[in-house]
Amino acid sequence: QVQLVESGGGLVQPGGSLRLTCAASEDISNIKSMNWFRQRTGQGNQREMVASIDSDDNRKYRDSVKGRFTISRDPASNTPVLQMNRLKSMDTGVYYCNIEAIRERIGGTYIPKYYWGQGTQVTVSS
């Protein structure tokens, strides 16, 4: 079973920056998208998508992070990277690396397989 491990989290003051990376225990083939989710403090168990990059390099961002966060692909490891700038206290939470791959193609669609990391804590506080 492929394991994903996030790193780069920590404590930062408001306005600061962090860079999150994601390492995979082995290569993942047929990747459809790479994503970062977060579970914000006080929001229960709900995970929200923060940023996404697909196989065509199309990027999507949550409205609250647009202009501050940038998702990219590490070409060496083929895993996602999240550059977070101008961090706010509302960004505090556990950040998860997620990769969606194709488990099986069926006609014009496919059955997905999802890989998740264990999460890394990001705390924005003065």
Side-chain angles (χ1 to χ4, degrees):
Q1 178 72 8
V2 177
Q3 294 185 342
L4 301 180
V5 179
E6 302 92 339
S7 61
L11 173 64
V12 65
Q13 292 185 343
S17 298
L18 286 173
R19 183 173 182 268
L20 304 184
T21 59
C22 176
S25 59
E26 56 188 87
D27 289 342
I28 300 173
S29 59
N30 298 319
I31 292 176
K32 286 293 290 183
S33 68
M34 300 181 183
N35 314 288
W36 286 95
F37 283 76
R38 69 184 179 191
Q39 189 170 321
R40 288 196 291 151
T41 303
Q43 299 297 312
N45 293 325
Q46 183 177 0
R47 292 185 185 182
E48 56 187 30
M49 181 178 283
V50 175
S52 175
I53 182 169
D54 67 17
S55 55
D56 294 322
D57 279 348
N58 296 309
R59 293 167 170 81
K60 294 182 181 178
Y61 296 95
R62 188 170 196 81
D63 283 347
S64 61
V65 308
K66 285 180 180 177
R68 300 189 296 123
F69 291 10
T70 302
I71 188 170
S72 60
R73 188 195 315 272
D74 182 339
S77 62
N78 202 24
T79 54
V81 177
L82 187 66
Q83 178 66 43
M84 305 187 294
N85 298 327
R86 292 186 282 140
L87 282 159
K88 303 177 181 180
S89 58
M90 63 166 287
D91 296 318
T92 294
V94 179
Y95 284 68
Y96 297 90
C97 172
N98 165 266
I99 293 178
E100 177 193 13
I102 298 174
R103 180 193 294 274
E104 180 181 351
R105 296 182 186 275
I106 301 177
T109 186
Y110 64 95
I111 298 174
K113 180 176 177 63
Y114 298 101
Y115 301 89
W116 288 93
Q118 293 300 307
T120 184
Q121 177 70 43
V122 170
T123 302
V124 185
S125 175
S126 56

